[in-house]
Amino acid sequence: PLLVTRVRGLKWEEAFIKRVIDIIISLILCIPTVIVTLIVAIADMIWDRGPIFYTQERLTQNGKTFRILKFRSMKVDSETDGARLAAKDDDRITKIGKVLRATHLDELPQVFNILMGQMSVVGPRPERPEIAAQYEEEIPEFRFRLKVKAGLTGYAQVYGKYNTTPYDKLLMDLMYISNANLLDDLMIMFATVKILFMAESTEGVAEGQTTAMEETVKEDEEEK
């Protein structure tokens, strides 16, 4: 509650600059997106013969829904039994999908979502409505992530790990939202470029272990 009530949001001039930065970066990323699309198309013709892209309903600011655009990394009809999160070594992931996920290139087409104003370069990861509903049953505060526009990258994506718990990711998102500013956005962008060249860590938070983010929250509560 302390983090949520502190949310002031960006000033109008900061919001304008953030939107300009979003447009510039997404336009620049359109070039590699076209190149990767051609490579993925050829790879799909050889190995999978399915659609190159796929869209999926996601949540963004104020609970609005939109269709996120990604390179397809899973087999066609991989969720016939219902929605479920991807796991490490998931057998639904295609050969080209493994490469796309390992290099994070499957996210590139989202530059078009950014251009349309549905997403920002930096913000909480857009979650699926049905998955978000599951989280909110145990963590009602999860909906507060929707106070800002969803992002291609963000604090939780950069500093969280593959299997960091939803609660820990929520803490990271709320810390970002409560202190949102353009300088932090730039730092997260640079950190994102850095982790693209690092092997993804899959270590989770051990049961009973206190994360650095939780310690920060505790310190903030003590100050209040």
Side-chain angles (χ1 to χ4, degrees), residues 111-128:
V111 298
F112 299 111
N113 292 117
I114 296 173
L115 280 174
M116 290 186 287
Q118 299 164 331
M119 292 177 61
S120 179
V121 173
V122 180
R125 189 77 192 117
E127 194 55 80
R128 301 172 64 177

Side-chain angles (χ1 to χ4, degrees), residues 92-156:
R92 298 174 298 164
I93 300 175
T94 64
K95 291 181 179 179
I96 184 63
K98 291 179 180 178
V99 176
L100 290 171
R101 283 173 173 260
T103 56
H104 305 281
L105 291 175
D106 59 318
E107 311 284 355
L108 262 182
Q110 290 165 46
V111 298
F112 299 111
N113 292 117
I114 296 173
L115 280 174
M116 290 186 287
Q118 299 164 331
M119 292 177 61
S120 179
V121 173
V122 180
R125 189 77 192 117
E127 194 55 80
R128 301 172 64 177
E130 54 269 39
I131 300 297
Q134 292 177 21
Y135 287 153
E136 287 178 18
E137 290 179 2
E138 297 183 8
I139 315 173
E141 296 83 4
F142 197 82
R143 67 175 63 92
F144 291 127
R145 298 167 74 256
L146 303 177
K147 282 183 169 287
V148 298
K149 196 176 292 185
L152 176 63
T153 186
Y155 199 99

Side-chain angles (χ1 to χ4, degrees), residues 61-184:
Q61 190 173 21
N62 299 323
K64 294 180 180 179
T65 59
F66 70 101
R67 303 294 299 185
I68 197 172
L69 182 64
K70 299 180 68 175
F71 285 122
R72 183 177 60 86
S73 60
M74 288 191 174
K75 298 174 183 177
V76 178
D77 301 326
S78 61
E79 291 193 334
T80 52
D81 297 327
R84 61 187 176 99
L85 294 173
K88 188 174 181 291
D89 300 323
D90 198 316
D91 59 4
R92 298 174 298 164
I93 300 175
T94 64
K95 291 181 179 179
I96 184 63
K98 291 179 180 178
V99 176
L100 290 171
R101 283 173 173 260
T103 56
H104 305 281
L105 291 175
D106 59 318
E107 311 284 355
L108 262 182
Q110 290 165 46
V111 298
F112 299 111
N113 292 117
I114 296 173
L115 280 174
M116 290 186 287
Q118 299 164 331
M119 292 177 61
S120 179
V121 173
V122 180
R125 189 77 192 117
E127 194 55 80
R128 301 172 64 177
E130 54 269 39
I131 300 297
Q134 292 177 21
Y135 287 153
E136 287 178 18
E137 290 179 2
E138 297 183 8
I139 315 173
E141 296 83 4
F142 197 82
R143 67 175 63 92
F144 291 127
R145 298 167 74 256
L146 303 177
K147 282 183 169 287
V148 298
K149 196 176 292 185
L152 176 63
T153 186
Y155 199 99
Q157 295 94 294
V158 170
Y159 298 105
K161 300 177 182 179
Y162 188 86
N163 58 350
T164 298
T165 66
Y167 180 76
D168 287 321
K169 288 183 178 179
L170 172 62
L171 288 175
M172 294 179 185
D173 284 331
L174 291 183
M175 285 295 291
Y176 166 77
I177 293 170
S178 65
N179 297 287
N181 60 79
L182 295 176
L183 179 59
D184 280 350

